[in-house]
Amino acid sequence: MGNLLKKDSKYWNDWRWQLKNRIKTPQGLKKYFKNLTEDEEKGLKLTAEEFPIAVTPYYLSLADPYNPECPIRKQVVPRYSEIDPKIQISCDPNALEEEGEIPHLTHRYPDRVLITLTTMCPVYCRHCMRKRKVGKPERAITEEEFKPIWDYIKKQNQIREVLISGGDPLVLSNEKLFHYIRQLKKIDHIEVIRIGTRTPVILPQRFYDDELLRFLEEISPVWIVTHFNHPKEITEEVSLAVKNIRKTANPVLNQTVLLKGINDNPQTMEELFRGLIRIGVKPYYLFHCDPIYGVVHFRTPIEVGLKIMSHLRGRVSGLAQPIYALDLPHGKGKVVLSPQYLVKKEGRKHYFRNYEGEIVEYEF
Ligand SMILES: *Cc1c(COP(=O)(O)O)cnc(C)c1O
């Protein structure tokens, strides 16, 4: 690895170099990570066959080579737990089939539609809920595949928003990305474009590309929704990426996934969300981890998420509070989860629990 992780490489800040030099094999990861656990050793042998591996040199450089508990390491090194039939039990493999009849398009809510433009991501996150669909093979959609997506959106004039989700749209060449977004913006009833991308976190160099920044400014506002899971991910490189996006007059929001062993405690989440608002990113969702084959070992009980939300309330700026939600199976939509603050009602008397746990009577 040695040279590959030398940040003084004159190419380190070039996103294309970062993509080209991704570590994509078990051997590549073994050169970087020391004292592999049995779960990791076995994962590199067996899991890697089923779910792809990839990590940018930049994101890998944040991982601790020696400590198996490192939150970055856990997001990139495959483990046997991902395919262990004793752990990945009773998952309905079709429970999260999202797509309807048009490939790469999911229309669940009336006013917005989710599309994907590629199967490729810079990093294959071990906790990815779409892990069965990404990376094998890595392929952008063709103009012929985009046509029915565009036609559908054009026909349905209740659709106001297009959410371009992952595979990560920002791995596309500028030319392709700009083309598809310009096409979508040509549709009169499309008021909002949202891009779901993890590149600010795992490939911040993408936002050192002036051509992309000029385009983002041209099409502003486009809502950039990214995916931080741990305070360790908030680096100088990332702050610069976020600053560059914000200079283009576009808002940056974040979705975190609640992950066992990575961020499943109030202190880590507090540090993460405080860190995000410090660099100008608004925490939007905290998602409960879905019961999908391959990610079950990252799940926590709902109580863990609720405890985190109670901890944040009142102690941490309201700006730093995400919405805690889970996705119902079979495309039934997202449900918001919240601690109960209205604890009792007697006639006009309402009893509320405040952030300090005190019960307060309020009559109205
Ligand atoms: C999550 C999701 C959306 C976006 O939902 P918001 O609550 O607006 O963030 C849109 N479509 C699908 C299919 C989704 O799963």
Side-chain angles (χ1 to χ4, degrees):
M1 193 79 15
N3 276 339
L4 200 55
L5 290 184
K6 279 231 183 80
K7 292 195 189 176
D8 53 334
S9 155
K10 65 178 174 170
Y11 302 112
W12 186 263
N13 284 328
D14 177 346
W15 67 274
R16 294 178 183 90
W17 182 89
Q18 288 281 340
L19 270 189
K20 212 180 289 160
N21 288 284
R22 290 183 301 158
I23 293 82
K24 297 185 68 181
T25 60
Q27 295 78 359
L29 289 181
K30 273 189 183 166
K31 277 188 213 154
Y32 183 83
F33 289 103
K34 310 302 170 195
N35 57 341
L36 291 168
T37 64
E38 206 183 310
D39 202 10
E40 290 172 329
E41 285 275 11
K42 224 169 144 187
L44 286 167
K45 259 198 216 97
L46 302 170
T47 308
E49 304 258 292
E50 190 159 343
F51 297 122
I53 298 176
V55 54
T56 54
Y58 163 77
Y59 195 62
L60 185 63
S61 77
L62 304 185
D64 187 329
Y66 300 99
N67 181 6
E69 288 305 307
C70 167
I72 308 293
R73 175 164 168 162
K74 285 182 173 175
Q75 293 182 66
V76 298
V77 178
R79 284 183 277 165
Y80 181 63
S81 311
E82 287 176 45
I83 56 167
D84 185 345
K86 287 204 288 292
I87 297 174
Q88 306 293 333
I89 41 164
S90 66
C91 287
D92 174 355
N94 297 315
L96 270 112
E97 276 313 315
E98 297 170 335
E99 286 183 358
E101 57 269 37
I102 299 168
H104 313 289
L105 181 145
T106 309
H107 190 188
R108 178 185 299 165
Y109 305 107
D111 76 329
R112 52 211 190 276
V113 67
L114 183 153
I115 66 170
T116 57
L117 300 177
T118 176
T119 64
M120 175 178 167
C121 288
V123 171
Y124 291 115
C125 304
R126 305 326 300 174
H127 58 275
C128 178
M129 65 172 201
R130 300 207 181 102
K131 69 199 286 183
R132 279 189 308 152
K133 292 185 178 176
V134 292
K136 289 197 310 187
E138 293 185 324
R139 191 176 75 80
I141 68 168
T142 60
E143 199 63 48
E144 291 69 45
E145 290 169 301
F146 184 70
K147 183 78 172 44
I149 295 173
W150 192 88
D151 288 342
Y152 178 89
I153 297 170
K154 170 94 178 159
K155 254 194 300 201
Q156 306 266 333
N157 58 10
Q158 82 277 26
I159 301 175
R160 292 159 184 261
E161 173 176 346
V162 179
L163 161 51
I164 309 170
S165 185
D168 203 307
L170 283 169
V171 302
L172 295 178
S173 67
N174 286 345
E175 191 191 352
K176 271 197 185 140
L177 181 72
F178 301 176
H179 166 71
Y180 287 134
I181 293 179
R182 286 195 175 111
Q183 290 298 110
L184 293 168
K185 286 193 72 96
K186 276 188 194 152
I187 301 172
D188 281 341
H189 53 268
I190 295 307
E191 299 166 0
V192 176
I193 303 277
R194 181 185 339 180
I195 299 179
T197 175
R198 209 178 180 198
T199 49
V201 185
I202 55 170
L203 182 63
Q205 297 79 12
R206 187 69 177 96
F207 299 97
Y208 306 167
D209 175 338
D210 289 329
E211 195 178 57
L212 173 68
L213 295 172
R214 277 196 300 275
F215 174 73
L216 290 177
E217 188 166 10
E218 172 198 318
I219 61 160
S220 156
V222 45
W223 295 73
I224 308 273
V225 182
T226 188
H227 175 37
F228 287 86
N229 287 326
H230 195 277
K232 220 179 150 177
E233 293 167 340
I234 304 172
T235 62
E236 266 174 45
E237 288 93 329
V238 161
S239 301
L240 178 60
V242 170
K243 196 167 181 178
N244 287 349
I245 301 170
R246 292 167 44 73
K247 274 191 199 152
T248 66
N250 291 299
V252 186
L253 285 74
N254 181 67
Q255 299 183 162
T256 295
V257 183
L258 177 56
L259 298 167
K260 188 153 117 191
I262 291 180
N263 60 18
D264 57 339
N265 65 80
Q267 288 68 35
T268 303
M269 289 293 198
E270 178 178 337
E271 201 186 325
L272 171 62
F273 298 140
R274 284 194 191 279
L276 289 178
I277 62 169
R278 196 165 55 233
I279 63 166
V281 176
K282 168 74 185 98
Y284 174 41
Y285 273 124
L286 168 62
F287 283 124
H288 196 72
C289 185
D290 291 322
I292 293 175
Y293 175 73
V295 302
V296 170
H297 57 301
F298 282 121
R299 300 190 85 218
T300 67
I302 282 174
E303 286 68 30
V304 172
L306 290 174
K307 203 174 138 200
I308 288 165
M309 295 308 291
S310 315
H311 170 85
L312 297 175
R313 177 59 51 199
R315 280 188 196 85
V316 178
S317 166
L319 294 175
Q321 319 254 345
I323 302 164
Y324 179 36
L326 66 74
D327 220 347
L328 293 172
H330 308 291
K332 294 293 180 183
K334 292 179 180 66
V335 173
V336 172
L337 298 166
S338 170
Q340 287 302 314
Y341 294 108
L342 173 58
V343 292
K344 200 167 67 169
K345 214 176 122 177
E346 285 167 353
R348 292 173 55 215
K349 280 186 181 162
H350 295 64
Y351 297 86
F352 295 96
R353 185 173 58 78
N354 77 357
Y355 71 99
E356 290 173 309
E358 186 185 347
I359 303 297
V360 181
E361 186 190 308
Y362 192 3
E363 193 169 322
F364 52 72

